[in-house]
Amino acid sequence: MKRLFKRTFFFSLSMAVLFSVCASTGAQTSRERSTKKARAAADQSAKAARVFEQIMGTREKSIPGDLLDRAEAVAVFPGVIKAGFIVGGRGGSGVISRRVAGGWGAPAFFDLAGGSIGLQIGASSTDFILLFMNEHAVESLLGDKFEIGAEGSAAAGPVGRSASASTDARLNAQILSYSRSKGAFAGLELKGVVIKPDNEDNLQVYGMTARDILTGANKIAMDKMPEGVRVFPLILSRYSRRR
């Protein structure tokens, strides 16, 4: 009887120790994953902020201020890779901030992808900037995926301080798109490009989906954002801030 009791006791003790070790390891892994995501989010925001600041710093080739002031949200996808041989594709990730009272809201994380077929070979890296000009354009982003040129009216954005935004296409466009490749910045008409929320990252960083971040009633205040991601809305506020 005593032997049976001892065996049962030591088995229970061993299982308890094993469970404790597994739980500790799981918690540590979860913390490491969270830390890794936070660093990646900060890096993504910093890249997007750097691209936007570089483009706006070249005044004669930047986004016109009057258009930027009218935009409801701004997206930056830095370093989107386009590669292919006969069948090509492109993919990358970036951030989107929506305008809030006195500045810009927390950047939500999105992925960009698209494909093409034709005689092509090689690879290139391109920065994309998108201006979402009204609330409907922002709302269209928040489904499972949004295809530019299908659901949304998009046009190449004008460049430079003296650029005219008076054409009907630009006035009626829900999205104005730009690209920078090999140092050249210009308006670009995008078609067949799909943008979808990266809610794995959004939930990991904020505990919220892209929809809640961009349209929720309780917007994340600047001092409540993770410190690493603040750089993007701060840069946007430097160039456009409604009173």
Side-chain angles (χ1 to χ4, degrees):
M1 190 69 178
K2 288 184 177 180
R3 287 183 179 180
L4 179 60
F5 176 78
K6 287 182 178 180
R7 288 177 182 175
T8 304
F9 174 76
F10 283 116
F11 176 78
S12 300
L13 181 61
S14 299
M15 291 302 295
V17 171
L18 180 61
F19 178 79
S20 177
V21 170
C22 289
S24 177
T25 302
Q28 184 176 2
T29 302
S30 179
R31 286 194 298 270
E32 289 174 352
R33 188 184 303 115
S34 180
T35 300
K36 187 176 180 180
K37 284 287 186 183
R39 289 174 180 169
D43 185 54
Q44 190 71 269
S45 295
K47 287 179 181 177
R50 186 161 55 248
V51 166
F52 191 82
E53 187 172 32
Q54 288 171 352
I55 287 168
M56 295 304 294
T58 309
R59 294 186 179 183
E60 297 303 326
K61 291 290 184 179
S62 63
I63 298 170
D66 61 333
L67 281 180
L68 185 58
D69 287 341
R70 285 166 45 197
E72 183 68 22
V74 174
V76 178
F77 293 89
V80 174
I81 300 298
K82 181 178 180 181
F85 180 75
I86 307 303
V87 176
R90 59 184 152 202
S93 54
V95 296
I96 300 178
S97 279
R98 185 171 187 175
R99 196 182 292 276
V100 296
W104 296 84
F109 299 94
F110 281 76
D111 292 327
L112 179 148
S116 59
I117 298 176
L119 296 177
Q120 55 184 307
I121 186 170
S124 62
S125 175
T126 303
D127 303 318
F128 290 101
I129 294 181
L130 307 176
L131 305 187
F132 296 86
M133 303 307 293
N134 52 46
E135 291 185 5
H136 179 73
V138 176
E139 186 66 30
S140 65
L141 279 168
L142 303 175
D144 292 335
K145 64 179 183 178
F146 169 68
E147 183 177 343
I148 296 180
E151 293 96 336
S153 171
V159 173
R161 288 181 298 176
S162 61
S164 173
S166 62
T167 65
D168 290 341
R170 286 167 180 162
L171 283 175
N172 295 330
Q174 295 182 43
I175 302 169
L176 295 176
S177 54
Y178 298 86
S179 70
R180 182 179 69 166
S181 183
K182 297 180 180 179
F185 180 67
L188 175 70
E189 186 175 357
L190 287 176
K191 289 185 178 180
V193 170
V194 173
I195 300 174
K196 62 179 182 178
D198 184 350
N199 280 328
E200 181 181 347
D201 279 2
N202 290 320
L203 288 168
Q204 190 73 45
V205 174
Y206 300 108
M208 303 167 67
T209 65
R211 174 174 290 278
D212 293 330
I213 296 165
L214 295 179
T215 66
N218 299 317
K219 296 293 191 302
I220 303 172
M222 185 68 72
D223 61 348
K224 301 297 183 183
M225 295 179 202
E227 186 174 355
V229 305
R230 297 176 193 173
V231 60
F232 184 67
L234 286 173
I235 287 295
L236 292 181
S237 295
R238 182 181 300 177
Y239 294 98
S240 179
R241 184 192 292 268
R242 289 180 189 164
R243 300 296 180 186

